[in-house]
Amino acid sequence: MTTYRFDVERYEKLFHAGILTNEDHIELLDGDLIVQSPIGSRHANVVNRLTELLAKNAGDRFFVSPQNPFRLDAHSMPQPDLALVHRRVLAEERYAFADDIFLAIEVADSSLRYDRTVKRGAYARNGIAEYWIFDLTRDLVLVHQQADPDAAAYTVCREVPAHDVLAPVAFPDLFLPLPALFGQARR
């Protein structure tokens, strides 16, 4: 059996031709068109709280890109729940590339296995320095740092419980109170 592997240019042509729309909730990863899981209310609220907190602290250091695509490589255009992106992308009015991403964040429940395997490997292979997965099934953050592109893996991986505080490597002064982000302060 032969499969067709999409590249970013052909993927974008599907949208320009109206074959795919934003309502299709599709991302391109490793040449495959991946249907995204529906977003539940808890997922949406964690993304909203993260967006709000990160945007308040961005200043001129980065901007927060919620659920927007970036060009990972010639065959991948993922749409993480959030990314901290270099401000030059806004000035140049273009999609972000892998070297523009300080931190990619996924909020996961039904997509957890995919985010922990396929997406993590693609991000590491392309040098995304830091990748977090907010695991809503266990209320913790899976932190992946120091990408090893040759191994398509991260050399530092740890679990941070929801009662802790977390800061991105690129911005060590940006402390994120996980209980508030997971919504535990409101329960």
Side-chain angles (χ1 to χ4, degrees):
M1 176 187 269
T2 303
T3 59
Y4 183 84
R5 188 169 185 225
F6 283 90
D7 60 21
V8 170
E9 286 77 22
R10 288 187 179 108
Y11 173 66
E12 288 185 312
K13 285 179 183 178
L14 293 174
F15 282 95
H16 293 302
I19 296 167
L20 292 176
T21 68
N22 290 335
E23 288 79 41
D24 291 314
H25 303 290
I26 304 268
E27 75 177 353
L28 177 68
L29 197 64
D30 295 330
D32 294 326
L33 298 177
I34 308 295
V35 178
Q36 298 297 289
S37 301
I39 295 174
S41 62
R42 183 160 187 238
H43 179 141
N45 283 304
V46 170
V47 171
N48 289 337
R49 285 190 286 271
L50 271 164
T51 302
E52 182 178 53
L53 179 63
L54 291 167
K56 283 181 184 176
N57 291 284
D60 61 356
R61 303 183 294 175
F62 61 86
F63 74 92
V64 179
S65 181
Q67 299 175 334
N68 289 315
F70 72 93
R71 189 170 178 152
L72 187 59
D73 60 29
H75 293 93
S76 298
M77 204 154 180
Q79 296 179 26
D81 285 310
L82 285 170
L84 303 188
V85 183
H86 197 288
R87 296 200 63 81
R88 66 180 165 238
V89 172
L90 291 176
E92 297 169 7
E93 294 192 30
R94 60 172 172 81
Y95 282 120
F97 291 93
D99 63 348
D100 296 314
I101 306 296
F102 295 111
L103 169 64
I105 301 173
E106 293 292 349
V107 177
D109 39 26
S110 61
S111 66
L112 184 60
R113 183 174 180 194
Y114 170 73
D115 293 336
R116 289 185 69 169
T117 57
V118 176
K119 200 168 259 191
R120 179 178 62 191
Y123 284 172
R125 188 172 52 256
N126 288 282
I128 299 296
E130 189 166 14
Y131 174 45
W132 295 355
I133 303 170
F134 276 69
D135 179 348
L136 300 183
T137 68
R138 298 186 298 154
D139 281 0
L140 54 85
V141 181
L142 305 167
V143 175
H144 308 282
Q145 299 165 324
Q146 298 178 9
D148 179 352
D150 294 332
Y154 286 89
T155 58
V156 175
C157 300
R158 61 191 170 99
E159 295 182 351
V160 179
H163 64 267
D164 214 335
V165 174
L166 188 57
V169 169
F171 307 103
D173 62 321
L174 179 54
F175 296 105
L176 305 176
L178 296 182
L181 295 173
F182 273 99
Q184 295 170 351
R186 294 169 179 80
R187 287 184 185 172

